[in-house]
Amino acid sequence: MVRVLLGKPYVHLILIAVLGLIVYSNTFDVPFQWDEETTITENPVVKDIGYFLSPSKAQGFGVHHINLRDRYMGYLTFALNYKLHGLDVRGYHVVNIALHILNAFLVYFLVRLTLRTPFMINPPLEKGGEGGFKTPRLSYIALFSALLFVSHPIQTEAVNYIMGRLPLLMSFFYLSSIVLYVKWRLPPLSSPLTLRGDRGGLLYLLSLLSAVLAMKTKENAFTLPFMDVLFEFSFSPVKEGESRRRRLIYLVPFLLTLLIIPLTLMDYGGTFGGAIESATRHYKTEVPRIPYFLTQFRVVATYIRLLFLPVNQDFDYDYLLSTSFFEMRVILSFLFLLSILGAAIYMFRRSKTDDPSFRLFAVGIFWFFIALSVESSIFPIPMIICEYRAYLPSTGLFTAFSAFVAYTILRLKRDKFKLIFFTAIFLIIPTLGITAYMRNKLPEDAQFSI
């Protein structure tokens, strides 16, 4: 009976939700801190929801108007919080924790749907080979990915920090868009939840709407259309009579959403060149582009280290800029990242002739780098490194790691897959959850802008 229940998706969702609530049960009284005095508690835009009905009325509010214009959806949720319960911090934390758990649900659904694509179940291998994952095991891989996501201590900054609402909400729309897109591209399955006919078109439209809302929440949603392209050409089936050109047509509306951020920045008399400059440099920093870019090799390597070994975490890293590529720490970080990317390319190519699970590993790694590409590249931001920036990118590495664990078990002990897989879960997840719980109380003396 227990083994049957452990295989049920609704039981998995309950486990994810309960774990998320337990891990963050000590955060409801964490006070406003850092820059939240100006962005929330003393922000006239947040205190009057009327500005969201007519944004032009807030033009005289300087930075508050910029936030309203560029990150409309995120600040709208703050305004709704304020209207419901003022500055009672508990309500803001309830929303953050709820978003985190919902995002974990979306990670679960995304992995399940991806593993149900024809490429993963019946791969068109060029030289034969054995398929990697079969339907009974899909839910366990998805469950492990979601449990890693919801319990990992690197997420504590985004969930605890009330302004972490922005990456949380952006990730919700981002993941929703991709989940809906992948669901739309799947062939009909014999399931009561299958959406057919005109409702399939509804999935596509909802996916596009979610993409637009993500763009109006935080600027790193700019990578979402590229993620759609990655999934389309990695997993989506080529239907009979469907050309590559037609598949590109599916993606055109999503690629057009790339214009949303620069067009938003062109409002109120701006120019296209000025919009591009504003979009690629935070208005609070004068950090040169090249030193920032060189330093990000080290930063991204740090994110990877924290995801696999979450020790020595910090909410305010003392990270000095690197001014030359030939600094030893820059070269070593660059070679480390290059080796990971090279391994992903190799696995993607091998998936065409060998096990399709290699494609899932590769796409998980590609996801990590693509999702980080706005904040860890040549676009200077005041804080060199912030753990909340790994929130969405972590999805890719967690999925790749879960698939790797499943692949290894299947090769070594196929007949004991469930036993070994759940042993791995019960060894890793409680350790991460306890670490996150103990780290939840954020320091109140740091200052940075999200």
Side-chain angles (χ1 to χ4, degrees):
M1 181 65 176
V2 174
R3 294 178 70 180
V4 173
L5 284 176
L6 286 175
K8 298 293 185 181
Y10 71 86
V11 175
H12 293 175
L13 295 178
I14 292 172
L15 287 173
I16 294 166
V18 170
L19 179 61
L21 289 172
I22 291 173
V23 169
Y24 290 98
S25 60
N26 61 338
T27 67
F28 292 97
D29 61 345
V30 174
F32 291 108
Q33 54 204 314
W34 297 339
D35 62 341
E36 291 168 351
E37 180 176 324
T38 55
T39 55
I40 298 177
T41 62
E42 296 181 3
N43 186 348
V45 170
V46 167
K47 294 180 179 180
D48 186 353
I49 204 167
Y51 290 116
F52 293 86
L53 301 176
S54 182
S56 61
K57 293 181 179 179
Q59 277 188 270
F61 292 142
V63 66
H64 300 308
H65 179 231
I66 293 174
N67 290 331
L68 170 62
R69 180 191 64 191
D70 300 349
R71 302 174 172 186
Y72 183 93
M73 295 303 301
Y75 279 83
L76 176 60
T77 65
F78 292 137
L80 292 173
N81 269 129
Y82 185 83
K83 188 170 183 63
L84 289 173
H85 48 76
L87 295 177
D88 185 342
V89 75
R90 291 171 295 181
Y92 296 85
H93 286 295
V94 166
V95 175
N96 276 25
I97 295 170
L99 281 171
H100 183 51
I101 293 173
L102 288 174
N103 286 337
F105 287 171
L106 289 169
V107 171
Y108 177 82
F109 288 127
L110 179 58
V111 177
R112 278 182 62 89
L113 289 171
T114 300
L115 291 171
R116 287 184 180 276
T117 56
F119 181 89
M120 297 302 299
I121 295 177
N122 296 302
L125 301 182
E126 296 174 2
K127 298 181 181 179
E130 181 182 358
F133 300 114
K134 301 302 179 184
T135 301
R137 301 186 180 97
L138 302 185
S139 57
Y140 299 113
I141 300 167
L143 174 63
F144 196 18
S145 302
L147 290 176
L148 287 170
F149 180 86
V150 81
S151 65
H152 200 287
I154 202 171
Q155 316 292 35
T156 54
E157 185 174 288
V159 181
N160 283 297
Y161 179 38
I162 293 174
M163 279 298 293
R165 174 81 54 84
L166 298 179
L168 289 170
L169 186 62
M170 185 278 296
S171 296
F172 173 75
F173 290 131
Y174 194 112
L175 290 167
S176 295
S177 180
I178 296 178
V179 165
L180 289 165
Y181 184 85
V182 174
K183 176 66 176 175
W184 172 70
R185 289 293 282 147
L186 279 176
L189 301 175
S190 55
S191 164
L193 297 179
T194 299
L195 298 179
R196 302 174 182 272
D198 292 338
R199 296 177 68 185
L202 178 61
L203 287 176
Y204 182 85
L205 292 175
L206 288 174
S207 175
L208 186 60
L209 175 61
S210 296
V212 172
L213 295 177
M215 297 282 185
K216 296 299 292 182
T217 303
K218 200 167 187 292
E219 291 82 351
N220 53 331
F222 189 81
T223 62
L224 198 159
F226 303 107
M227 211 72 80
D228 284 326
V229 173
L230 176 65
F231 270 78
E232 174 66 36
F233 290 97
S234 297
F235 300 113
S236 293
V238 179
K239 300 175 183 177
E240 186 176 350
E242 184 178 63
S243 65
R244 182 179 294 269
R245 181 186 218 173
R246 186 169 181 180
R247 298 178 78 187
L248 286 172
I249 290 174
Y250 298 152
L251 295 166
V252 167
F254 291 93
L255 293 172
L256 289 175
T257 65
L258 293 172
L259 296 173
I260 291 175
I261 292 173
L263 288 177
T264 299
L265 295 170
M266 285 176 64
D267 280 349
Y268 315 111
T271 64
F272 186 77
I276 296 300
E277 174 64 21
S278 297
T280 59
R281 174 182 292 279
H282 195 284
Y283 67 94
K284 288 185 178 180
T285 184
E286 296 297 328
V287 175
R289 293 185 189 276
I290 298 304
Y292 183 87
F293 175 69
L294 294 174
T295 307
Q296 289 307 305
F297 291 130
R298 296 161 46 211
V299 168
V300 176
T302 298
Y303 291 146
I304 295 174
R305 193 265 299 168
L306 290 172
L307 287 168
F308 285 95
L309 188 64
V311 296
N312 297 325
Q313 289 182 254
D314 199 337
F315 293 107
D316 187 15
Y317 286 85
D318 184 15
Y319 233 79
L320 298 177
L321 283 172
S322 294
T323 57
S324 170
F325 177 77
F326 297 101
E327 291 181 22
M328 184 57 65
R329 55 187 177 177
V330 175
I331 293 177
L332 291 176
S333 297
F334 172 77
L335 293 175
F336 172 64
L337 299 180
L338 188 63
S339 66
I340 294 175
L341 190 58
I345 294 171
Y346 168 76
M347 288 188 288
F348 191 93
R349 292 174 62 86
R350 187 174 172 184
S351 68
K352 299 177 181 180
T353 58
D354 200 339
D355 197 299
S357 59
F358 294 129
R359 180 153 300 190
L360 189 63
F361 305 152
V363 170
I365 294 170
F366 293 150
W367 173 294
F368 175 78
F369 284 106
I370 292 172
L372 265 178
S373 61
V374 170
E375 293 171 314
S376 290
S377 56
I378 61 171
F379 310 141
I381 302 174
M383 293 294 291
I384 302 299
I385 176 174
C386 289
E387 291 179 7
Y388 73 81
R389 292 177 191 159
Y391 183 81
L392 179 64
S394 68
T395 302
L397 289 191
F398 291 150
T399 301
F401 177 71
S402 299
F404 173 76
V405 171
Y407 173 83
T408 303
I409 296 171
L410 285 170
R411 290 296 175 270
L412 298 177
K413 294 286 184 180
R414 182 177 292 272
D415 58 328
K416 296 183 179 180
F417 176 84
K418 292 180 182 178
L419 174 63
I420 300 176
F421 203 85
F422 275 99
T423 299
I425 288 177
F426 289 128
L427 287 175
I428 296 173
I429 300 303
T431 303
L432 293 175
I434 292 170
T435 304
Y437 181 89
M438 294 175 64
R439 191 173 181 271
N440 275 330
K441 299 294 185 178
L442 301 183
E444 299 181 31
D445 58 352
Q447 295 287 332
F448 71 85
S449 176
I450 201 164

